[in-house]
């Protein structure tokens, strides 16, 4: 009874037209689940910051300096001189051409063959599981180990020359000829990338709704029309992912070059990544090597965006 008489008195004491004061803010408290989540995320976040973000920033700073680990003077700021020198650097220009040719030789063949294999293993037949596993095995083997095996296969007494000798053909210097060295490396890289691309495209094929195929069959669509108007549009997001990731991996090719050819003969297999390695760890020129790395990074981003727009543009 008392409370019902006090409230009208307090309300009538406020001046007419005045806004009531805002309610006091409550201090937000971290819930237990939020704290546990932060604890679990923190190690991964620290790893990314310490071992990935900080080195990238340090490399960017070095790209504007001249720095050699053998020098006692430390890094000296030179502005954009390292980037300007790359414009007239014949070795860097050759490495860009070799890298571009390497990507163009491997990427289309890998994607087309992987798509054909994915269409093949998407159908039920006896032993399809074993066939899929056999195709995927090269992907789980280290690239360096695969390169060592192919190094023997390309040798004078290796598998390929033994096959040629069986048919009476002369032995070939696969990795010692500047005309064939990059082709030989590309063949190994195609074999290595087929399995992973096949699995990704197979997952894309199996995500396409069966109803669309039934509708196409009812409409009387043939195999080519079904593939063009049902399979390809449904597979386009996965194709974009495969093309973008292949460009990124191939443009950074290093291990296979290091094991098979060491950039030779006559720099015919010197990719940008291998040139960065020689510049940094053989000539100790960390500044120019860092500048090359960031130019390569910008080119990879640019070509990946163009490739993604090229594939997705057809959808519009």
């Amino acid at each position: 009874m008392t409370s019902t008489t006090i409230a009208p008195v307090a309300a009538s004491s406020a001046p007419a037209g005045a806004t009531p004061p805002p309610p006091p803010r409550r201090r937000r408290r971290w819930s237990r689940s939020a704290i546990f989540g932060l604890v679990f995320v923190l190690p991964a976040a620290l790893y990314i910051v310490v071992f990935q973000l900080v080195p990238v920033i340090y490399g960017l700073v070095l790209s504007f300096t001249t720095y050699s680990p053998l020098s006692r003077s430390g890094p000296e700021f030179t502005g954009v001189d390292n980037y300007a020198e790359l414009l007239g650097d014949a070795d860097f220009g050759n490495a860009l051409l070799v890298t571009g040719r390497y990507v163009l030789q491997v990427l289309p063949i890998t994607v087309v063959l992987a798509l054909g294999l994915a269409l093949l293993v998407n159908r039920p037949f006896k032993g399809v599981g074993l066939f899929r596993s056999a195709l995927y095995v090269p992907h789980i083997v280290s690239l360096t180990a695969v390169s060592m095996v192919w190094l023997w296969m390309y040798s004078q007494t290796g598998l390929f020359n033994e096959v040629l000798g069986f048919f009476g053909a002369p032995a070939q210097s696969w990795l010692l000829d500047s005309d064939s060295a990059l082709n030989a490396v590309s063949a190994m890289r195609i074999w290595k990338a087929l399995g992973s691309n096949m699995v990704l495209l197979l997952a894309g094929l199996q995500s396409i709704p069966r109803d669309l195929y039934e509708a196409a069959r009812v409409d009387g669509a043939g195999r080519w029309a079904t593939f063009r108007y049902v399979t390809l549009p449904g597979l386009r997001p996965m194709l974009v992912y495969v093309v973008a990731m292949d460009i990124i991996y191939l443009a950074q090719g290093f291990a296979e070059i290091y094991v098979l050819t060491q950039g030779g003969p006559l720099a015919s297999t010197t990719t940008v990544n291998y040139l960065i390695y020689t510049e940094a760890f053989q000539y100790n020129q960390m500044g120019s090597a860092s500048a090359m790395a960031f130019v390569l990074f910008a080119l990879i981003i640019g070509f990946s965006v163009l490739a993604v727009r090229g594939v997705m543009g057809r959808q519009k």
Side-chain angles (χ1 to χ4, degrees), residues 257-272:
I257 302 296
Y258 182 83
V259 173
L260 291 176
T261 64
Q262 297 272 318
L266 302 176
S268 59
T269 60
T270 300
T271 58
V272 176

Side-chain angles (χ1 to χ4, degrees), residues 80-99:
V80 295
D81 288 355
N82 289 328
Y83 293 94
E85 290 176 359
L86 291 181
L87 296 176
D89 191 333
D91 292 336
F92 185 68
N94 175 72
L96 283 177
L97 292 177
V98 171
T99 303

Side-chain angles (χ1 to χ4, degrees), residues 165-199:
F166 179 79
F167 290 102
Q172 301 293 320
S173 300
W174 303 99
L175 300 174
L176 301 178
D177 188 344
S178 58
D179 294 329
S180 62
L182 189 61
N183 297 332
V185 177
S186 299
M188 185 279 291
R189 202 65 178 82
I190 291 171
W191 177 82
K192 179 75 170 65
L194 269 182
S196 60
N197 286 349
M198 182 270 296
V199 169

Side-chain angles (χ1 to χ4, degrees), residues 250-283:
L250 291 172
Q252 300 181 78
F254 173 76
E256 65 272 32
I257 302 296
Y258 182 83
V259 173
L260 291 176
T261 64
Q262 297 272 318
L266 302 176
S268 59
T269 60
T270 300
T271 58
V272 176
N273 229 11
Y274 188 80
L275 184 64
I276 292 171
Y277 162 76
T278 58
E279 191 76 3
F281 299 106
Q282 292 184 4
Y283 302 115

Side-chain angles (χ1 to χ4, degrees), residues 5-316:
T5 56
I6 293 175
V9 172
S12 62
S13 62
T19 57
R25 293 184 178 181
R26 294 183 178 179
R27 297 184 62 182
R28 182 176 296 177
R29 294 183 178 180
W30 289 82
S31 64
R32 179 174 297 181
S33 61
I35 294 175
F36 274 112
L38 183 62
V39 170
F40 280 110
V41 169
L42 191 59
L46 286 176
Y47 171 81
I48 292 173
V49 170
V50 174
F51 294 103
Q52 294 185 4
L53 186 58
V54 171
V56 168
I57 296 174
Y58 184 62
L60 180 62
V61 173
L62 282 183
S63 70
F64 296 101
T65 66
T66 58
Y67 172 60
S68 170
L70 303 180
S71 174
R72 296 182 178 179
S73 59
E76 296 180 2
F77 182 73
T78 59
V80 295
D81 288 355
N82 289 328
Y83 293 94
E85 290 176 359
L86 291 181
L87 296 176
D89 191 333
D91 292 336
F92 185 68
N94 175 72
L96 283 177
L97 292 177
V98 171
T99 303
R101 182 186 164 192
Y102 182 50
V103 174
L104 292 177
Q105 285 186 174
V106 176
L107 180 65
I109 299 176
T110 302
V111 174
V112 171
L113 287 180
L115 178 58
L117 290 173
L119 291 170
L120 176 64
V121 300
N122 194 34
R123 299 182 175 183
F125 60 86
K126 189 176 182 180
V128 63
L130 182 62
F131 190 54
R132 291 174 183 173
S133 302
L135 289 173
Y136 192 70
V137 165
H139 177 68
I140 63 176
V141 182
S142 157
L143 181 57
T144 303
V146 169
S147 300
M148 293 295 292
V149 173
W150 280 71
L151 180 63
W152 167 78
M153 293 170 67
Y154 280 135
S155 67
Q156 289 295 320
T157 58
L159 177 63
F160 294 120
N161 280 331
E162 289 293 333
V163 173
L164 290 179
F166 179 79
F167 290 102
Q172 301 293 320
S173 300
W174 303 99
L175 300 174
L176 301 178
D177 188 344
S178 58
D179 294 329
S180 62
L182 189 61
N183 297 332
V185 177
S186 299
M188 185 279 291
R189 202 65 178 82
I190 291 171
W191 177 82
K192 179 75 170 65
L194 269 182
S196 60
N197 286 349
M198 182 270 296
V199 169
L200 291 171
L201 294 176
L202 177 62
L205 287 174
Q206 294 184 348
S207 67
I208 300 174
R210 298 290 99 184
D211 297 344
L212 298 179
Y213 289 103
E214 291 295 330
R217 186 180 61 81
V218 171
D219 291 341
R223 290 186 176 180
W224 171 245
T226 303
F227 176 76
R228 181 178 179 182
Y229 296 108
V230 177
T231 302
L232 275 183
L235 200 58
R236 185 166 284 118
M238 189 59 76
L239 274 175
V240 169
Y241 175 79
V242 168
V243 169
M245 295 307 296
D246 279 357
I247 290 176
I248 293 172
Y249 285 131
L250 291 172
Q252 300 181 78
F254 173 76
E256 65 272 32
I257 302 296
Y258 182 83
V259 173
L260 291 176
T261 64
Q262 297 272 318
L266 302 176
S268 59
T269 60
T270 300
T271 58
V272 176
N273 229 11
Y274 188 80
L275 184 64
I276 292 171
Y277 162 76
T278 58
E279 191 76 3
F281 299 106
Q282 292 184 4
Y283 302 115
N284 296 310
Q285 299 299 320
M286 295 295 178
S288 59
S290 299
M292 290 180 187
F294 278 94
V295 171
L296 177 62
F297 171 75
L299 291 175
I300 290 175
I301 293 294
F303 281 110
S304 298
V305 171
L306 288 178
V308 169
R309 287 188 174 181
V311 178
M312 294 299 292
R314 297 178 182 178
Q315 191 174 12
K316 299 176 180 177

